[in-house]
Amino acid sequence: TGETLRDLAAGALVGCALGDAIGELAFVHPEREALLRVVAGSHELVYTDDTAMAVELARALAEDGGVDRERLGERFAAAFEAEPWRGYGPGPPKIFRTAQHRGKPCHEIAALLHGGQGSLGNGAAMRVAPVGVAYRTGAALDHAARASASITHAHDIGQDAAVLQARTVGLAVTHALAGNTLDGERVSRDLVRAAQTGEMQKKMGIVAAALSDGTPPERVAHAIGRSVAAHESVPFAIYAFLRAPADFEAVLDCAMLNGGDRDTLAAMAGAACGAHIGLSALPAAWAAHAENRETLIGLGHALADAFPA
Ligand code: 8NA
Ligand code: MG
Ligand code: MG
């Protein structure tokens, strides 16, 4: 199981990076055949903020042994300052710089945004996959997901979505370790019950209904909504994964070819799928061209070793 878990953890990070990079290209090339040609001709598949932050979270879990909010905030801020061109949303850079300026931890500043509501963007969920890989299930997973989210996303919806995405990744890993395929319908119904906000309950309910009656993806996307708000993008990413959990190309197609926040949808769905099938089952031609491939794989292995099965 040690080797299997290492493969799944590396798969989660490389799956996130591939979804992120290919999804970002899909903004410019939204037509499938043209997109695949561009991807096949790319020497390097360059990821964005989603994966850059997931990398920091994986490193924090592997090196610090858990989520220490002050240390993780410092890691996120340092990664942003080193690579501010990754395409961050408007909130996080503001939080990092204000926290630095006032000598306060990021999570205190995050709570002041949007009139004291905090952000409900998908930025907490987009990076949370390493928490799912590390904890896999239970109260410790929920707690770590929420704590990691709070550094930039104080809003209940932003945190609730991060918990559900982390649970999805955790289930992807536990089912793979047990040698089971995942029952998407059943998982989606469990996630409806796990949701704590009315918004996430409602949107996950749409996902559960669509998986049981086979509603086509474009109608599901329309019903859920296509904004960067966590309750629109995160349920659609989970849906894209659950409708074909072992088929990475089908998962990415659904996540990135139905409009909305393409890089982030594909990063989240791709991370869950990679966590389920492992690095060894990801499309080899794509994985070979993932930016910082060796770093991502090494970090996946370190994460698996720090949180053994
Ligand atoms: P964020 O916290 O700044 O939120 C993202 C957006 O949601 C911002 O425009 C906010 O103004 C809006 N928003 C958040 N909370 C509220 C609220 N309570 N009330 C009203 N509006 C609100 O950043 P984030 O880290 O959540 O964002 C992640 C996204 O940014 C990902 O898509 C990532 O790829 C990146 N990104 C997005 C785009 C895009 O979709 N246009 C472009 C580049 C980068
Ligand atoms: Mg991005
Ligand atoms: Mg995005």
Side-chain angles (χ1 to χ4, degrees), residues 22 25 34-43 45 286 289:
I22 298 172
L25 291 171
L35 173 62
L36 293 180
R37 272 198 303 279
V38 169
V39 170
S42 295
H43 175 65
L45 295 167
W286 292 354
H289 295 281

Side-chain angles (χ1 to χ4, degrees), residues 115-206:
Q117 290 191 319
S119 172
L120 47 63
N122 56 22
M126 75 184 182
R127 66 186 185 227
V128 82
V131 169
V133 171
Y135 294 95
R136 303 191 280 277
T137 183
L141 179 149
D142 290 8
H143 181 79
R146 208 170 275 284
S148 76
S150 70
I151 290 159
T152 48
H153 291 70
H155 200 292
D156 276 346
I157 293 175
Q159 296 191 4
D160 200 17
V163 170
L164 296 193
Q165 166 67 3
R167 282 197 184 206
T168 302
V169 172
L171 286 166
V173 172
T174 47
H175 280 264
L177 288 174
N180 304 327
T181 28
L182 213 115
D183 178 344
E185 261 186 75
R186 189 167 160 193
V187 170
S188 65
R189 284 196 301 272
D190 289 346
L191 292 175
V192 176
R193 278 192 292 276
Q196 299 206 345
T197 61
E199 288 82 355
M200 285 300 291
Q201 269 162 16
K202 179 174 164 220
K203 298 298 169 78
M204 285 308 306
I206 294 174

Side-chain angles (χ1 to χ4, degrees), residues 20 24 27 47-51 86-89 126 261 263-264:
D20 186 355
E24 189 71 15
F27 281 110
Y47 59 71
T48 75
D49 57 325
D50 309 58
T51 306
R86 287 277 181 196
Y88 285 79
M126 75 184 182
D261 190 0
D263 66 316
T264 302

